[in-house]
Amino acid sequence: MKISILNKSLSFLMAFVVFFSTLSFTIESHYCGSSLVDTAIFTKAKVCGEDIVDTTIIQKSCCKNEVNIIVGQDELKLNNFDDLDAQQQLFLTSYIYSYVSLFVSLPKQVVPHKEYVPPNLYFDIQILDETFLI
C-alpha cells in the first residue's frame, strides 16, 4: 500500500513538472512614476487613470507598462528504445527483467483442515479424570 501511494504521488509530481515546464504566461506590471500600481498574470494590468489624456493636449505620461513573457518549453523530445546505444539497451532490459521477476507469485498452498470444525465438548474429560500433563 505504501508503494502504491508513493508510486501515485511520484506520477502526479512528474505530470506536474511536465505541465509547468511547458506552460507559457505573461506578467504585466503597471508603474506610475516609480511606484508599482498593479501586477497581473494572464490578464492586463489595471491602469491608474493618468493614461487617459485629452486629444487636444498631448503630454508625456509618467506611467509605463512593463510586460514579462515567460516562455515554456514547446518541444518535448520523445525517445524510442532504438535511440539508445547497446549498453543502455542491455542495462534497461536486464533491469526490467529482474524487476518483473521480483513479483512472481508463489503457488497457492492447500490447507486440508481449513474447513474442519471440531466437535462440541460437553465435559472437560481431563478435569473429570484429574489427569494433567506436567
Side-chain angles (χ1 to χ4, degrees):
M1 180 161 161
K2 291 179 184 179
I3 294 175
S4 173
I5 293 171
L6 180 66
N7 190 8
K8 289 179 183 177
S9 62
L10 285 177
S11 300
F12 181 75
L13 179 67
M14 291 298 290
F16 186 77
V17 166
V18 168
F19 176 71
F20 279 105
S21 68
T22 58
L23 183 70
S24 299
F25 58 95
T26 59
I27 300 174
E28 199 167 312
S29 302
H30 181 76
Y31 291 95
C32 279
S34 62
S35 63
L36 177 66
V37 174
D38 189 30
T39 301
I41 300 174
F42 300 117
T43 60
K44 288 192 164 258
K46 294 180 183 175
V47 295
C48 59
E50 292 182 13
D51 288 343
I52 303 170
V53 292
D54 198 350
T55 57
T56 59
I57 303 172
I58 299 173
Q59 49 177 240
K60 190 172 184 180
S61 175
C62 65
C63 296
K64 66 177 180 176
N65 289 330
E66 185 177 302
V67 178
N68 295 328
I69 299 172
I70 299 171
V71 179
Q73 182 180 6
D74 60 346
E75 294 179 14
L76 293 177
K77 183 179 178 186
L78 299 175
N79 290 335
N80 291 334
F81 186 73
D82 297 331
D83 294 340
L84 302 174
D85 62 352
Q87 289 180 342
Q88 291 174 338
Q89 287 179 356
L90 178 65
F91 174 75
L92 189 61
T93 54
S94 62
Y95 179 76
I96 290 173
Y97 179 74
S98 63
Y99 185 76
V100 168
S101 66
L102 287 174
F103 300 107
V104 173
S105 64
L106 296 174
K108 291 193 174 193
Q109 295 180 351
V110 178
V111 181
H113 58 282
K114 182 176 152 184
E115 302 294 328
Y116 175 72
V117 180
N120 292 332
L121 295 176
Y122 297 108
F123 302 108
D124 195 0
I125 302 230
Q126 291 177 341
I127 293 181
L128 287 175
D129 294 339
E130 295 181 4
T131 53
F132 304 104
L133 295 174
I134 296 178

